[in-house]
Amino acid sequence: MVLALVGGQDSERLTLNTQRSTLMEIHNRLLQFSLFQGMSHSELMEVVAHTKMEFTKHAGGQTLVREGDACTHIHLLVNGTLEAETMAGDHGYSVVEQLSAPYILQPERIFGIRQRYTTTFRTLTPCHLISIDKQEVALLLETQIVFRINLLNLIAASCQKNAQRIWQGTASDLRTRIVRFFVEHTLYPAGAKTYHILMTRLAAEMNCSRLDVSRQLNRMQQEQLLILHRGRIEIPMLEKLLM
């Protein structure tokens, strides 16, 4: 309505200013993410101006991607909080965790042998996402060296963490093994986690008796590090277990 009342030249100027404002807003949002950090202002503005991006809003309680879905986009959580559920290979237990913006949904899954999500992501609160499809990602890798290095760093860091877990050796005491199990079965080793697992399954994973596992978990509960339920273990702040 306002644009209709403004003269032609003023209308063009207003539209141009609006476009500039929108581009700067996208520019600032992208800077939240490690994929774009280190780019100069001109490089990032070039990305904003020439890269096709999808901007979506989601109410709380919506499923964004499911375990097994093809990874055809890089999804950037700009604001809001997600619930991520990851299942064991035999679906014998699962881990549910909360992830807050800024967050990138499994970028290492967009290339490689198995280009599918291993986690189901749902919105806990209203969320805004920026999505970039694989063809646009490939173009950014070709034309933007900083983006290329940043994605390589993300993938390399993921590989190195997995290798470190394999070679760190077996802990001698049960409590340390239990804490390692909790930490290793997360996407992000901090914040609130819920482990849907039976005590007998956790004991089998620890290669010890159910009674020994129960004793250790009850000690942790007395220290207010976790809360035990039937078939469920809630950890309000996983990082406290590492202190």
Side-chain angles (χ1 to χ4, degrees):
M1 182 66 68
V2 174
L3 293 178
L5 297 176
V6 179
Q9 188 174 6
D10 290 337
S11 177
E12 290 178 6
R13 187 179 298 114
L14 182 58
T15 301
L16 182 59
N17 288 337
T18 302
Q19 290 175 344
R20 287 174 177 169
S21 175
T22 300
L23 291 176
M24 282 305 301
E25 182 180 356
I26 299 171
H27 170 284
N28 293 335
R29 289 186 174 186
L30 291 180
L31 276 178
Q32 299 178 76
F33 299 94
S34 57
L35 283 174
F36 301 95
Q37 290 173 4
M39 285 186 174
S40 67
H41 174 75
S42 60
E43 287 173 334
L44 195 51
M45 288 304 291
E46 182 181 347
V47 170
V48 171
H50 297 98
T51 304
K52 294 179 182 177
M53 301 180 187
E54 183 180 0
F55 302 84
T56 55
K57 298 179 181 179
H58 303 268
Q62 293 186 354
T63 299
L64 300 178
V65 297
R66 296 183 184 276
E67 174 195 359
D69 284 354
C71 184
T72 59
H73 292 71
I74 281 183
H75 296 293
L76 310 172
L77 178 66
V78 176
N79 57 44
T81 303
L82 298 179
E83 177 185 83
E85 181 179 16
T86 308
M87 304 285 294
D90 62 358
H91 284 204
Y93 61 90
S94 66
V95 182
V96 177
E97 49 193 308
Q98 296 180 18
L99 304 166
S100 298
Y103 185 78
I104 309 174
L105 280 62
Q106 294 195 297
E108 71 279 1
R109 290 284 163 178
I110 199 165
F111 299 112
I113 297 174
R114 181 170 170 78
Q115 300 172 22
R116 294 186 178 276
Y117 291 99
T118 59
T119 296
T120 297
F121 293 92
R122 307 180 187 90
T123 57
L124 270 181
T125 66
C127 294
H128 291 74
L129 283 92
I130 298 175
S131 301
I132 308 173
D133 73 31
K134 187 177 295 185
Q135 289 184 337
E136 292 295 316
V137 172
L139 185 60
L140 286 172
L141 290 171
E142 181 181 348
T143 60
Q144 300 292 334
I145 187 170
V146 176
F147 181 88
R148 189 189 318 159
I149 292 171
N150 286 338
L151 183 56
L152 284 172
N153 281 336
L154 280 177
I155 296 171
S158 177
C159 292
Q160 290 164 9
K161 288 176 182 177
N162 288 332
Q164 184 178 6
R165 289 173 181 175
I166 295 171
W167 292 103
Q168 65 182 344
T170 303
S172 58
D173 63 290
L174 179 57
R175 177 171 176 140
T176 301
R177 297 206 305 274
I178 292 173
V179 171
R180 279 189 185 177
F181 177 88
F182 289 148
V183 173
E184 290 173 357
H185 290 79
T186 61
L187 297 174
Y188 183 71
K193 317 290 177 185
T194 301
Y195 297 79
H196 295 272
I197 185 170
L198 296 174
M199 200 78 73
T200 52
R201 177 60 185 266
L202 183 56
E205 294 289 331
M206 297 297 102
N207 193 28
C208 66
S209 71
R210 181 188 181 282
L211 181 59
D212 287 340
V213 168
S214 178
R215 286 171 176 165
Q216 288 294 337
L217 292 177
N218 276 284
R219 290 193 188 106
M220 294 182 192
Q221 181 168 242
Q222 290 171 4
E223 296 170 27
Q224 299 183 338
L225 296 173
L226 52 78
I227 305 167
L228 297 175
H229 304 274
R230 183 180 295 274
R232 189 172 86 252
I233 302 170
E234 293 183 14
I235 301 179
M237 296 181 68
L238 183 64
E239 59 270 33
K240 284 191 174 182
L241 290 179
L242 304 174
M243 294 179 179

